[in-house]
């Protein structure tokens, strides 16, 4: 008589936990849709519950407040945004090329996920402050961009001052201007083709004016790599 082997070492899937995660994902999808239609401040527990087909108190089993729901949306957006930047960074040459690729990926993702981008970058909800956990991904994003600036300095594309937190803030200001103008004036125009986002390459070139490359150091580096004549 044959028997069916059972791998007793493999834990059984927790169906209740799986169902909970599926419901949370569904709630977040609905919440993002509400914000797309009604604006970031138009989100409410009652509207999400109505679209989900449950009573509002049922949602408090998953999110104990509206601010907790916003935080979950913020966190999910940060994870997806960081993944887009990481992919762009991996496919580009180190330095200014990587910085441009990451900022371009950031802008494209933000336009495609407009309400979440507003929540992440412009804080339109009064009294909302993201949790430390949700902010961790933002710090990882800054680390990627700071690394690209350091590579740009090492390659002689920018001066030594660009390897700094100040330069990271300059990049943030340039990017927020391009993105803010795009979201405000051309929200339905594909990134890179409008009156504002198409200027991103020129904005990045401004970094050379703010942190001019050390041309003498660059000449010495080239001479050293060429060897004796």
């Amino acid at each position: 008589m044959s028997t069916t082997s059972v791998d007793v070492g493999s834990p059984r899937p927790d169906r209740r936990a799986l169902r909970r995660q599926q419901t949370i994902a569904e709630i977040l999808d609905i919440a993002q849709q509400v914000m797309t239609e009604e604006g970031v401040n138009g989100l409410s527990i009652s509207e999400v519950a109505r679209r989900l087909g449950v009573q509002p108190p049922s949602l408090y089993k998953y999110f104990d407040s509206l601010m907790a729901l916003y935080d979950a949306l913020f966190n999910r957006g940060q994870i997806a945004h960081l993944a887009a930047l990481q992919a762009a960074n991996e496919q580009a040459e180190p330095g200014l090329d990587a910085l441009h690729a990451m900022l371009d990926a950031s802008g494209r993702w933000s336009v495609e996920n407009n309400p979440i981008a507003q929540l992440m970058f412009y804080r339109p909800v009064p009294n909302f402050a993201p949790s430390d956990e949700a902010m961790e991904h933002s710090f990882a994003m800054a680390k990627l961009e700071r690394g690209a600036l350091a590579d740009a300095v090492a390659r002689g594309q920018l001066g030594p001052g660009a390897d700094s937190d100040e330069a990271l803030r300059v990049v943030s200001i340039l990017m927020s201007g391009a993105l803010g103008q795009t979201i405000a004036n051309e929200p339905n125009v594909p990134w890179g083709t409008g009156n504002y986002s198409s200027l991103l390459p020129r904005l990045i070139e401004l970094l050379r004016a703010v942190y001019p490359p050390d041309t003498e150091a660059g000449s010495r580096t080239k001479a050293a790599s060429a060897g004796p004549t």
Side-chain angles (χ1 to χ4, degrees):
M1 181 176 65
S2 63
T3 59
T4 302
S5 62
V6 177
D7 185 357
V8 295
S10 299
R12 293 182 178 180
D14 188 335
R15 294 182 179 179
R16 181 175 297 179
L18 179 60
R19 177 55 186 162
R20 178 179 176 82
Q21 291 304 314
Q22 291 172 338
T23 302
I24 288 174
E26 186 177 2
I27 291 171
L28 294 178
D29 288 342
I30 292 172
Q32 184 166 346
Q33 185 61 38
V34 172
M35 291 196 300
T36 299
E37 297 173 5
E38 307 296 338
V40 180
N41 275 315
L43 181 63
S44 68
I45 292 291
S46 60
E47 178 59 18
V48 173
R50 186 186 70 80
R51 297 191 185 196
L52 188 62
V54 300
Q55 294 298 313
S58 298
L59 258 64
Y60 290 112
K61 294 187 297 184
Y62 305 96
F63 301 101
D64 60 12
S65 67
L66 178 60
M67 293 302 158
L69 179 55
Y70 274 124
D71 191 66
L73 289 164
F74 185 101
N75 186 57
R76 186 166 75 160
Q78 288 282 5
I79 292 172
H81 179 255
L82 178 60
L85 266 65
Q86 289 171 330
N89 183 54
E90 292 171 358
Q91 297 172 10
E93 288 293 321
L96 285 182
D97 284 349
L99 182 64
H100 183 189
M102 286 191 288
L103 295 181
D104 194 57
S106 175
R108 183 171 292 104
W109 183 91
S110 298
V111 168
E112 293 172 355
N113 298 272
N114 188 328
I116 300 297
Q118 291 184 51
L119 180 66
M120 289 165 52
F121 302 129
Y122 298 102
R123 308 293 176 85
V125 180
N127 301 320
F128 169 66
S131 64
D132 292 342
E133 178 185 357
M135 284 299 297
E136 287 180 3
H137 310 293
S138 181
F139 298 143
M141 176 198 73
K143 185 177 180 180
L144 277 177
E145 294 180 357
R146 177 67 188 273
L149 288 168
D151 289 337
V153 171
R155 289 175 167 240
Q157 297 170 333
L158 297 174
D163 188 2
S164 66
D165 289 339
E166 178 197 80
L168 190 62
R169 291 193 294 271
V170 171
V171 170
S172 176
I173 291 169
L174 294 175
M175 183 61 190
S176 64
L179 179 59
Q181 290 290 342
T182 299
I183 288 178
N185 298 292
E186 299 177 334
N188 299 316
V189 175
W191 179 263
T193 64
N195 292 321
Y196 302 101
S197 61
S198 61
L199 297 176
L200 180 61
R202 298 183 67 180
L203 292 174
I204 294 175
E205 284 299 315
L206 291 176
L207 291 173
R208 297 185 192 272
V210 180
Y211 304 104
D214 187 342
T215 55
E216 293 184 4
S219 298
R220 291 194 296 270
T221 301
K222 291 181 180 179
S225 63
T229 56

